[in-house]
Amino acid sequence: MTKEELAKEVIDRLKKEYPDAGCTLDYNQAWKLLVSVRLAAQCTDARVNVVVEELYEKYPDVDALAQADPEDIESIVRPCGLGKSKARDISACMKILKDEYGGKVPDDFDALLKLPGVGRKSANLIMGDVFGKPAIVTDTHCIRLVNRIGLVNGIKEPKKVEMELWKIIPPEEGSDFCHRLVYHGREVCTARTKPYCDKCCLADICAKAGVEAV
């Protein structure tokens, strides 16, 4: 089986297993996803979803958050960790959205990368989830699973993993595929325990690279 064939089979099986998988960060506007994905660095999505409720109650739009004192932002987002740097980035990012984009999030990948605190993972998430454009989000679940399955071979650097996946994942499948990897990585192909291969829908086609399966 070629990697392209393996990728197609993995995509098809994960679709059946997690048909409704989507972004686990709560948002109803593009700028809120931009804020949440910055807060999610080294923090669980579940905690971010709780913390942003207070943030958005106090600062309900881009203009309000752009005008907020970074120290006030930090006092709210501190439970997400790295509060000072995250608050600084959020403040700077909202100012740019307000001053340069009329309060809107740009739908251009390179423009997103220029925003404070936005890397390739965040930019891809925005492109895929907000704008419905081809995207591959190489978070920790994605990197771990595609190596275990055998879609990439021993590559851990996010951008390199992304580039390898672009070669074998159909563009229109990338965003949803990565969301499904998150669900599968949390429920079955776990990081902190041995993976539950006995209940894995990919067990017969997975390379199980670098793990001792139960």
Side-chain angles (χ1 to χ4, degrees), residues 86-97:
K86 289 180 179 180
R88 183 182 64 241
D89 285 343
I90 289 169
S91 175
C93 186
M94 294 301 111
K95 283 181 169 67
I96 292 173
L97 293 188

Side-chain angles (χ1 to χ4, degrees), residues 144-158:
R144 184 177 77 255
L145 268 63
V146 296
N147 274 281
R148 282 183 177 179
I149 294 167
L151 292 173
V152 304
N153 300 324
I155 304 173
K156 300 299 174 66
E157 201 277 308

